[in-house]
Amino acid sequence: MLYIATPLAGHDRFLLHRNPIFHVCSGRDPNFLRIRLSSGLQEVEKTPLSKDKEFDSQLYASIPFPSITAAKRVILVRHGQSTWNEEGRIQGSSDFSVLTKKGESQAETSRQMLIDDNFDVCFTSPLIRSKRTAEIIWGGRKEEMIPESELREIDLYSFQGLLKHEGKAKFGQAFRRWQIDAANFSIDGHYPVRELWARARNSWTKILTHEGKSILVVAHNAVNQALVATAMGLGTAYFRILLQSNCGVSVLDFTPRVEGGSPHICLNRLNQTPNSPIATGTSGGRKAGKRIILVCYGSTQSNIEAKFPNSGDRPMNMLGVIQSQKTAELLLDLKVSSIICSPRIAPTETAMAISKMQEAADCLGADCVPRYVDMKQMQHLEVESILGQSKKDENEVQHLQPGWLKGFKDQMMAEMWDQSGQAWRSLLDELSNETEPEQNVVVVGHPAVNIGLIGHCLNLSKEWMCSFHLDDGSISILDFPDGPTGRGVIRCVNYTAHLGRWSIPITRSALGDEDF
């Protein structure tokens, strides 16, 4: 197969392509280049900022994903807490660590999350901690469990087995590089993150060519990050940006294209954890004092009556009221600094529910004093009017099915993207109050604008909006361990466990069972 390398004017980078129709999508890191081809998403990245001559002119290009004939859903689970997790040791791909009692309990919670799902197959890392987690989740199922070597955790060579302070003392500069620039970290002649990305990409070929439509994958923190990132066409710069907690569940939907080729890929859920995502204040071991919590407002009657979800300005229905109350209850674990919402009726109602719950924190035993929260409206969060311009037939769009933004006109997508970009800049300004070292800003809006905000946090382009999915009443959490001027870390996307019996089951599609 012939690939053509085309130099970019004014840059020491190249486009690698086999098709002249492409769009260049530049990211926050200038050393990474993402290309959305007409036949699917591919990524080309020049080895970034590396002084090492061996990698100086090396290009990385992800080959197209295998064509599929039916929709597939892949559920990724990280193993439960291990003995080396508990001790703070660097595990890598070593196999001396086993699940703790807490890890076994987390795996049991994941089993309960997934108990009603009919998986066709389970791929698992062969390492003990992951394999045991898979056995607990798999329970009495008779379907096949396949150990896959390439799903093992990242290979960290001489680092493996060391306590973190030992790694710092023994390796000094190399350990520092691992902490702050993992994509370019090398040890024992290897670049572990680059090797991991290649393994993850190879794993997808094996997973997607399996005949199963519902596939469980049980593996590890770093490799699950790489699986999510490579599926979405994101390079090694996104390592440690898409969190994977112990027994956290992530869901990816793969939908075939009519013309064949690489399938459409949508991140349906990221890191739904056995425990509340609100409780912890660290991201990848670093304290995150600044945080944005994206809340999708509850269900409205227009979800049923209108051509497009929430295209009219209507109040929430009974289900929406319940969803907003459940969200407000979850956020009691967090002292909210401010609530910013769209001026529409439903997001304002949701914001009010959260505000009232915060003010009653002392009565509810969550705090010793009431919490008086600053509540604001932001016009840039209002995208329903843009959605309402669409002339698409209502039968073409089921409310909030995975990838429902796909097919909207470029002009509409550009409007929503630009508007969410203006909202994003305003939110970063909101987080920039230096007199408040800890800020938790809650943002209530339509799923489409919240998807746009996630895209801006990841420094993507509007083409990626179809690559994320959010449900009514869901929350997504963006942490800023380096402050609002640093890179945002995605703690979770489309978390709905707090909704209880009214939540969207973690692996259930909005489509019919015949499709998933």
Side-chain angles (χ1 to χ4, degrees), residues 429-503:
D429 288 341
E430 181 78 14
L431 281 184
S432 299
N433 187 347
E434 296 181 1
T435 63
E436 295 186 47
E438 294 190 10
Q439 282 181 273
N440 298 302
V441 177
V442 173
V443 179
V444 186
H446 188 278
V449 75
N450 285 354
I451 286 172
L453 294 172
I454 292 169
H456 285 288
C457 180
L458 291 172
N459 202 29
L460 301 176
S461 63
K462 65 180 175 66
E463 288 78 14
W464 264 265
M465 287 187 70
C466 300
S467 300
F468 296 90
H469 173 75
L470 297 176
D471 288 304
D472 285 339
S474 68
I475 69 165
S476 302
I477 301 177
L478 317 178
D479 284 344
F480 296 85
D482 299 316
T485 59
R487 297 190 71 186
V489 174
I490 311 297
R491 172 167 294 282
C492 66
V493 171
N494 201 30
Y495 181 92
T496 62
H498 64 292
L499 301 178
R501 65 181 294 181
W502 295 280
S503 68

Side-chain angles (χ1 to χ4, degrees), residues 178-182 225 238-243 284 286 489:
W178 165 240
Q179 289 181 311
I180 65 172
D181 187 18
Q225 289 184 53
Y238 287 86
F239 182 59
R240 297 202 184 108
I241 299 299
L242 305 164
L243 289 194
R286 295 183 295 160
V489 174

Side-chain angles (χ1 to χ4, degrees), residues 168-206:
K168 184 177 181 180
K170 186 173 182 179
F171 290 95
Q173 186 176 352
F175 189 80
R176 178 65 175 160
R177 172 65 69 90
W178 165 240
Q179 289 181 311
I180 65 172
D181 187 18
N184 296 307
F185 156 72
S186 65
I187 189 169
D188 299 337
H190 296 270
Y191 284 76
V193 176
R194 298 173 190 174
E195 293 176 350
L196 178 68
W197 248 243
R199 275 204 278 120
R201 184 58 191 79
N202 290 339
S203 296
W204 277 124
T205 298
K206 296 175 184 179

Side-chain angles (χ1 to χ4, degrees), residues 180-379:
I180 65 172
D181 187 18
N184 296 307
F185 156 72
S186 65
I187 189 169
D188 299 337
H190 296 270
Y191 284 76
V193 176
R194 298 173 190 174
E195 293 176 350
L196 178 68
W197 248 243
R199 275 204 278 120
R201 184 58 191 79
N202 290 339
S203 296
W204 277 124
T205 298
K206 296 175 184 179
I207 292 167
L208 293 177
T209 52
H210 190 277
E211 61 185 9
K213 293 183 180 180
S214 181
I215 300 170
L216 177 67
V217 176
V218 183
H220 306 265
N221 178 15
V223 72
N224 281 9
Q225 289 184 53
L227 286 168
V228 172
T230 52
M232 300 184 71
L234 304 177
T236 52
Y238 287 86
F239 182 59
R240 297 202 184 108
I241 299 299
L242 305 164
L243 289 194
Q244 300 288 309
S245 304
N246 286 124
C247 278
V249 177
S250 300
V251 180
L252 287 143
D253 289 324
F254 297 80
T255 309
R257 294 176 185 267
V258 175
E259 69 275 17
S262 291
H264 293 291
I265 302 170
C266 180
L267 180 63
N268 185 284
R269 200 175 301 256
L270 178 75
N271 200 32
Q272 179 143 313
T273 55
N275 303 314
S276 168
I278 297 295
T280 180
T282 62
S283 285
R286 295 183 295 160
K287 183 171 178 58
K290 306 280 187 175
R291 172 179 285 183
I292 293 175
I293 300 96
L294 302 177
V295 175
C296 291
Y297 56 79
S299 175
T300 69
Q301 192 61 33
S302 65
N303 293 350
I304 300 170
E305 295 178 356
K307 290 187 177 182
F308 291 101
N310 302 315
S311 59
D313 191 8
R314 305 188 186 187
M316 291 184 292
N317 57 25
M318 181 58 73
L319 174 59
V321 170
I322 292 171
Q323 290 169 331
S324 67
Q325 290 294 327
K326 291 288 186 180
T327 298
E329 183 179 343
L330 176 72
L331 294 177
L332 263 180
D333 289 334
L334 202 65
K335 189 173 182 179
V336 173
S337 307
S338 59
I339 305 172
I340 303 174
C341 67
S342 160
R344 292 258 171 169
I345 296 172
T348 301
E349 289 178 334
T350 301
M352 286 296 296
I354 296 169
S355 177
K356 289 178 180 178
M357 191 79 75
Q358 288 283 314
E359 289 179 6
D362 57 336
C363 301
L364 299 171
D367 207 341
C368 57
V369 295
R371 303 171 185 167
Y372 295 108
V373 182
D374 188 18
M375 185 171 151
K376 310 172 187 177
Q377 291 185 335
M378 183 186 291
Q379 189 63 43

